[in-house]
Amino acid sequence: MRHKLTNSRLFLGGRQITIACFGRPPSILTIAYMNFTQTELTEQVAQSARDFARQHIKPFVMEWDEAQVFPVHLFKELGKLGMMGVLVPEEYGGAGLGYFEYNAIIQEIAKVCGSIGLSVAAHNSLCTNHILSFGTEAQKKQWLPKLASAEWIGAWGLTEPNTGSDAGNMKTTAVKTDDGWVLNGTKSWITHGKSGDLAVVICRTGEPRTPGNATAFVVERGIPGFTAGKKENKLGMRASETAEMIFENCHISDANRLGEVGQGFHQAMKILDGGRISIAALSIGIAKGAYEAALRYAQERHQFDQPISNFQGISFKLADMATEIMAADLLVWQSCDLKNRGEKVTKQGAMAKYYASEVAVRTANDAVQIFGGYGYTKDFPVEKYYRDAKLCTIGEGTSEIQKLVISREVLHS
């Protein structure tokens, strides 16, 4: 088939340009102008996070990792800096910043410790953002100030022992009563499932695998029937607490319901769209940390009377690492730009999360290889980046789920 060469016009940076294309303009790959030049505010926020991580996190990274300590006190300090309510408007006690600043904070913290970056991301993107996005004015005023200041640590519960990606078949139920709801079931793999003071929980309120069968609720710690279960002993991200949340005849008021009955799964998918941006940022932070450590080592380590960075086998690894990190970083900034402008981010967020997480794994793997035997010891930082990176390809939707989301968006856009 022969295609007719036509011209398409669009505006880039206020200037009209003409693009030659065959047939109709492309619909799947959209060309858009995005200015990723960091503002002074973004740079200041990044520097603040960088300084905090070096002073308050770096000295304790391995201590917390070895003992699986979740340093609650640290998050209180982050709360004072506004980093636990990054996206929350100032009227609710938050920092009132955007996704560029949020991305910068997560990256700078994750460059030092993926565990702390993960917990900051989960608190901000999942629990806090769910209430911000779908709560009533009264609910926002009740809970957001405590979350934004880190007076309370937040958790978010969707996953269950037998329903990970199959969330439509969840077993945790919420049954309506005359004065509220009764929750029963177990949520697993929950960040802050034991130490969280408040949790947003998605429960089934209809028949399994039927449209509109789930509803979101806010449950405060201390309510009878809400307890913590098993804390997971993990390969990586060991200073970020992961535990079960158990509900046994847990009575809550209808005032704790977020949004309409039956909208829980729809809300969860919207929250995950934004949450995947934070996991992509987390991945980039880990990748940059591993890359920078490997770059320094390659320049300092000598073999055959010269730095090992002089050898092509090493220099080409560094070139691949740097290129993939930059490409992944651009995907993250694009997603942040769309999110800041209130546009749909399902495809771009999934692309950023998928690619950045896989880049983090490859980068950490190559960093260990560059360090050689030393990279396999806990005396050097890359073994921890190696362990932490893998979680990024699993949490908030596996790489396979991201490809499912992306393919659906590509095929049906």
Side-chain angles (χ1 to χ4, degrees), residues 397-411:
T398 62
S399 290
E400 291 73 22
I401 287 296
Q402 303 314 311
K403 288 192 277 189
L404 181 64
V405 172
I406 295 164
S407 63
R408 284 175 176 173
E409 288 293 313
V410 167
L411 292 169

Side-chain angles (χ1 to χ4, degrees), residues 31-50:
I31 303 169
Y33 173 74
M34 289 161 289
N35 183 1
F36 296 150
T37 302
Q38 289 195 16
T39 65
E40 183 178 353
L41 173 62
T42 304
E43 292 175 351
Q44 288 175 346
V45 169
Q47 186 63 53
S48 179
R50 190 179 305 125

Side-chain angles (χ1 to χ4, degrees), residues 311-370:
F311 300 112
Q312 197 173 78
I314 300 298
S315 64
F316 278 17
K317 283 186 184 297
L318 292 168
D320 285 339
M321 295 158 79
T323 301
E324 289 196 331
I325 289 171
M326 181 170 288
D329 212 1
L330 287 170
L331 280 172
V332 179
W333 284 107
Q334 181 197 37
S335 299
C336 291
D337 179 66
L338 291 172
K339 194 68 176 171
N340 278 343
R341 291 191 276 117
E343 297 188 16
K344 183 180 178 182
V345 75
T346 302
K347 180 175 69 175
Q348 284 81 3
M351 285 179 170
K353 195 271 187 188
Y354 165 56
Y355 187 69
S357 63
E358 295 291 343
V359 165
V361 171
R362 288 195 293 271
T363 301
N365 182 69
D366 281 346
V368 171
Q369 200 70 15
I370 288 172

Side-chain angles (χ1 to χ4, degrees), residues 4 33 52 81 87 91 110 118 144 155 201 214 228 260 262 275 327 331 350 398:
K4 182 180 178 182
Y33 173 74
F52 182 92
L81 296 175
L87 304 170
E91 63 186 289
L118 174 62
L144 288 181
V201 186
E260 298 299 321
L331 280 172
T398 62

